[in-house]
Structures are given as structure tokens and as C-alpha cells.
């Protein structure tokens, strides 16, 4: 119906074929898509789109940012965002100037509006461009070596608790997805996230996300609440999309009770991730003591897998895999290298050390 109306209207105008196609595409973007941003979102070579102002719109390709020649009006930016938020049950207004949401294609939307920003609406659309669903897929894409993939597959099957660390756009979500897909088919997996991003290939899966408070300030559902509710749902595994705050305490307690699980965390290295895991639970309250958290982290987390984005090449790689265990004193965490990246190869640390010793 919409297509027919558009074509009928265009046919009445004196336009060349190229002008007709361009106008047709533009009208479709405005009517049924996300406006002028639609071509950028659909471009498979683009990893992320962000709008600093209507005249400063950037994209990332191959891990590198570039300024586009696209110019929008402030009204067009707002209209595009409202279209993206339609049906998401997420609210954006002066009382709630931040919003996180998931688009239909799985891309993650983040928006900030004035007066938190100085003048313009700032929009980030992060796409999942790394086409991998399993650990062998990551091996094919040179993110991971086959020996490390086999080790991680065996670790998941054995019920090891695994944390994926890395910076922004390092591939944490993709790697976590692939790890979850290695979970045995007879297990029940519960995932909890701020907004839906994970899409693992698991037969028995329940996915939950947080919820904002309503206009009356009621009805908010936090990650901490979701973790506690997940424990009542007969989980075989619990997955937290990303640990950022006090929910780290709830996750550690769940894992320390014998329930296998996984999570991701922002960190510059595997060892920094361990330090962060020992700090975040302290945000849960003054009654949480550091001398309780350290041995809990050591006992609850088995492996940390660190991935990284090479800013020069745009390549994403797993850079190290470490194991955790309590120190002999019980007051610290022993971190041992399992795999480390050397000369762009992920090498078993024992083999590497033996090679150095032989040399």
C-alpha cells in the first residue's frame, strides 16, 4: 500500500530514473525506516554509528572512525530516535535523559539528550558485525586459535565459571555468545542483561532484561533483582551480559554456591578484570568487606578470557586466558597464564615457557 502510493506520486513528477530511485529510497527511509540513518544502519561494513550533532555524524569501519557527509536537522535526529524507541518500552525525556535499547536487528542504541549534553541529542548505534555463533567460527575468523578454542570448549563443558574482559568494541558480547553456545544441550540457561544483546544458540534459554522506572518512579527492575529472580528459575547456568556495579556481588554469591555461570566486564587486561571484580562488590554496601570479596572472587571465578581491538588494523583478537585460584594465605588471588598471544598467535603458556627454558 505504502509502496504503491509512493510510486504513484513519483510517477507524476518529471524526474530522471536516477532521481526517481533516489527519491523513492529517501521516502521509504522516512516512512518505514529510521530516516537518513537507515542506509548507515543497513551498511554491513559499518560497525557503529554515532551522532554528535546533526552535522557531525560518524561511523566506524574496520575499527576506525570516519566522519560522514550526512547532514540532518535536529528534528530529523529526534524523529529517528523516536522511531527506534517505538515498542521498546524505554522512555527518554527531561526526567530520564539517558536511554539504552535494542533495535530489531540486535543493534544496541544509546541516547543522551540536553541538558546532560550541551546542545544536541547524542546517539550511538552499536551493531554486531562479527558474524560468529560458535567458538569454531571465531577460529575461522582468526579471533581465536584452535587449541585455545578446544580448551574453552572443554572448560564450558566442565562447568567452569568464565569472565570475558575487554574494552569497548573488543568483541566481548560475540565471544560470550560463542561460549554460551558451547553449553551442553541438556542444560537450562538464564541470561540477564541491561538490554538484550546476547543471542546464543541454546535450546533451553530464558532471556531477561532490566526495566526503567515509570513516570511515577515505580516499577524499576535492576540487574541485581534479575540475578536473584534467575536463581528461582531452575538454572543450569546463569549469564550476566555485563557486570558494571553492585550486581557483581550477587553474581559472585550465585557462582560460589555451585551454580556455573559467565559474565563480561570492561577491563584493559585479564588481571585488571580480576582487580575490578574484587572492587565492584564493595558498591553493594558498607557491610561488604574487602577481605570477604577477595577469597570469594578466587573461589567463584575459574577463567578470565581477555579480548582486544587493534586500533591500527581493526582486528579483534583474544589476547590472553588466565586461571584464578586462592593464594596460600587466602588473602590474595593467584592469577596464572594459560594462553598468551605472541607474534599474533595464541600460545599455551606452558609451551611458551618450556620454549624459553630450552632456549
Amino acid at each position: 500500500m505504502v509502496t504503491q502510493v509512493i510510486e504513484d506520486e513519483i510517477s507524476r513528477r518529471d524526474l530522471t530514473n536516477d532521481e526517481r530511485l533516489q527519491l523513492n529510497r529517501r521516502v521509504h527511509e522516512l516512512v518505514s525506516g529510521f530516516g537518513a540513518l537507515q542506509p548507515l544502519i543497513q551498511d554491513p561494513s559499518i560497525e557503529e554509528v554515532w551522532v554528535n550533532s546533526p552535522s557531525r555524524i560518524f561511523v566506524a569501519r574496520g575499527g576506525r572512525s570516519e566522519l560522514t557527509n550526512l547532514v540532518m536537522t535536529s528534528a530529523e535526529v529526534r524523529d529517528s530516535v523516536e522511531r527506534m524507541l517505538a515498542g521498546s518500552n524505554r522512555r527518554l525525556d527531561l526526567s530520564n535523559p539517558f536511554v539504552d535499547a535494542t533495535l530489531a536487528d540486535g543493534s544496541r542504541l544509546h541516547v543522551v539528550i540536553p541538558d546532560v549534553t550541551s546542545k544536541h541529542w547524542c546517539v550511538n548505534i552499536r551493531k554486531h558485525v562479527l558474524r560468529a555463533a560458535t567458538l569454531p567460527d571465531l577460529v575461522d575468523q582468526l579471533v581465536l586459535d584452535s587449541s585455545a578454542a578446544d580448551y574453552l570448549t572443554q572448560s564450558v563443558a566442565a562447568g567452569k565459571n568464565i569472565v570475558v574482559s575487554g574494552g569497548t568494541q573488543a568483541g566481548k558480547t560475540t565471544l560470550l555468545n560463542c561460549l554460551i553456545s558451547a553449553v551442553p544441550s541438556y542444560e537450562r540457561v538464564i541470561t540477564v542483561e541491561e538490554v538484550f544483546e546476547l543471542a546464543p544458540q541454546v535450546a533451553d534459554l530464558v532471556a531477561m532484561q532490566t526495566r526503567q522506572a515509570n513516570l511515577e518512579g515505580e516499577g524499576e527492575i535492576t540487574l541485581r533483582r534479575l540475578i536473584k529472580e534467575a536463581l528461582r528459575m531452575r538454572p543450569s547456568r546463569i549469564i550476566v551480559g555485563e557486570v558494571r556495579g553492585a550486581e557483581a556481588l550477587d553474581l559472585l554469591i550465585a557462582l560460589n554456591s555451585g551454580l556455573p555461570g559467565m559474565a563480561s566486564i570492561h577491563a584493559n587486561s585479564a588481571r585488571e578484570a580480576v582487580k575490578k571484580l574484587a572492587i565492584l562488590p564493595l558498591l553493594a554496601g558498607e557491610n561488604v568487606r574487602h577481605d570477604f570479596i577477595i577469597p570469594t572472587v578466587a573461589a567463584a571465578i575459574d577463567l578470565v578470557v581477555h579480548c582486544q581491538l587493534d586500533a591500527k588494523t581493526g582486528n579483534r583478537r583474544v589476547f590472553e586466558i588466565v586461571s584464578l585460584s586462592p593464594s596460600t594465605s587466602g588473602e590474595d588471588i593467584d592469577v596464572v597464564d594459560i594462553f598468551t598471544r605472541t607474534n599474533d598467535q595464541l600460545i599455551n603458556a606452558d609451551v611458551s615457557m618450556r620454549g624459553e627454558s630450552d632456549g
Side-chain angles (χ1 to χ4, degrees), residues 13 53 92 167 207 246 253 275 327 334:
R13 300 172 182 264
S53 72
L92 183 66
I253 292 174
K275 292 178 182 178
S327 64
D334 287 338

Side-chain angles (χ1 to χ4, degrees), residues 90 190-196 207-211 220-233 238-240 247 250:
R90 300 276 168 162
I190 312 292
T191 66
V192 298
E193 305 173 80
E194 286 191 356
V195 295
F196 293 128
M208 298 188 290
Q209 68 174 355
T210 59
R211 188 176 70 190
E220 181 184 17
I221 298 178
T222 65
L223 272 179
R224 298 197 68 183
R225 170 75 180 276
L226 289 179
I227 292 173
K228 292 171 183 175
E229 294 299 328
L231 296 177
R232 301 186 176 104
M233 300 171 67
I238 184 169
I239 315 295
V240 179
E247 67 274 359
D250 304 282

Side-chain angles (χ1 to χ4, degrees), residues 34 41-42 102-108 125-128 131:
F34 299 136
I41 295 173
Q42 289 182 322
T102 304
L103 303 185
D105 66 353
S107 298
R108 181 167 182 172
I125 303 166
R126 184 179 301 172
K127 299 161 63 180
H128 298 299
R131 307 303 179 192

Side-chain angles (χ1 to χ4, degrees), residues 51-54 74-75 77-82 85 90-100 109-124 212:
V51 180
N52 293 349
S53 72
S74 295
V77 173
R78 290 195 296 269
D79 182 65
S80 293
V81 170
E82 288 168 1
L85 290 176
R90 300 276 168 162
R91 184 167 50 86
L92 183 66
D93 52 40
L94 291 176
S95 64
N96 194 72
F98 304 95
V99 71
D100 269 306
L109 171 70
H110 181 75
V111 185
V112 190
I113 64 174
D115 55 358
V116 172
T117 57
S118 60
K119 186 177 181 181
H120 301 290
W121 285 35
C122 293
V123 183
N124 278 77
Q212 292 177 317

Side-chain angles (χ1 to χ4, degrees), residues 10 30 86 89-90 109 130 132 158 176 189 193 196 266 339 346:
I10 290 176
L30 292 172
N89 293 321
R90 300 276 168 162
L109 171 70
L130 191 60
L176 189 56
V189 176
E193 305 173 80
F196 293 128
H266 266 85
F339 285 87
L346 200 58

Side-chain angles (χ1 to χ4, degrees), residues 6-238:
I6 293 172
E7 290 178 351
D8 289 345
E9 182 62 31
I10 290 176
S11 66
R12 299 190 184 101
R13 300 172 182 264
D14 185 17
L15 301 172
T16 66
N17 287 335
D18 287 344
E19 288 173 335
R20 290 173 184 273
L21 289 173
Q22 186 175 357
L23 181 57
N24 195 319
R25 183 173 63 251
R26 177 65 173 152
V27 173
H28 269 287
E29 291 167 359
L30 292 172
V31 173
S32 58
F34 299 136
L37 295 175
Q38 185 70 27
L40 303 181
I41 295 173
Q42 289 182 322
D43 188 335
S45 69
I46 292 177
E47 303 164 356
E48 188 167 359
V49 180
W50 61 98
V51 180
N52 293 349
S53 72
S55 61
R56 304 286 290 180
I57 300 172
F58 292 79
V59 298
R61 282 189 178 93
R64 299 179 180 181
S65 64
E66 56 186 71
L67 177 64
T68 70
N69 58 7
L70 176 62
V71 176
M72 303 173 67
T73 65
S74 295
E76 286 175 332
V77 173
R78 290 195 296 269
D79 182 65
S80 293
V81 170
E82 288 168 1
R83 288 171 181 269
M84 294 177 195
L85 290 176
S88 69
N89 293 321
R90 300 276 168 162
R91 184 167 50 86
L92 183 66
D93 52 40
L94 291 176
S95 64
N96 194 72
F98 304 95
V99 71
D100 269 306
T102 304
L103 303 185
D105 66 353
S107 298
R108 181 167 182 172
L109 171 70
H110 181 75
V111 185
V112 190
I113 64 174
D115 55 358
V116 172
T117 57
S118 60
K119 186 177 181 181
H120 301 290
W121 285 35
C122 293
V123 183
N124 278 77
I125 303 166
R126 184 179 301 172
K127 299 161 63 180
H128 298 299
V129 296
L130 191 60
R131 307 303 179 192
T134 64
L135 292 172
D137 291 341
L138 294 181
V139 174
D140 293 340
Q141 297 176 14
L142 305 180
V143 176
L144 199 60
D145 290 58
S146 58
S147 58
D150 291 341
Y151 176 81
L152 290 175
T153 300
Q154 294 168 11
S155 297
V156 172
K160 299 288 187 181
N161 296 324
I162 303 173
V163 171
V164 175
S165 66
T168 302
Q169 280 289 299
K172 298 187 300 297
T173 301
T174 299
L175 178 55
L176 189 56
N177 254 327
C178 294
L179 288 169
I180 302 170
S181 296
V183 170
S185 59
Y186 54 82
E187 293 194 12
R188 177 172 170 81
V189 176
I190 312 292
T191 66
V192 298
E193 305 173 80
E194 286 191 356
V195 295
F196 293 128
E197 288 187 279
L198 296 170
Q201 296 181 346
V202 178
D204 191 352
L205 173 71
V206 174
M208 298 188 290
Q209 68 174 355
T210 59
R211 188 176 70 190
Q212 292 177 317
N214 59 23
L215 290 171
E216 290 75 35
E218 301 174 344
E220 181 184 17
I221 298 178
T222 65
L223 272 179
R224 298 197 68 183
R225 170 75 180 276
L226 289 179
I227 292 173
K228 292 171 183 175
E229 294 299 328
L231 296 177
R232 301 186 176 104
M233 300 171 67
R234 198 182 178 276
S236 304
R237 306 254 178 166
I238 184 169

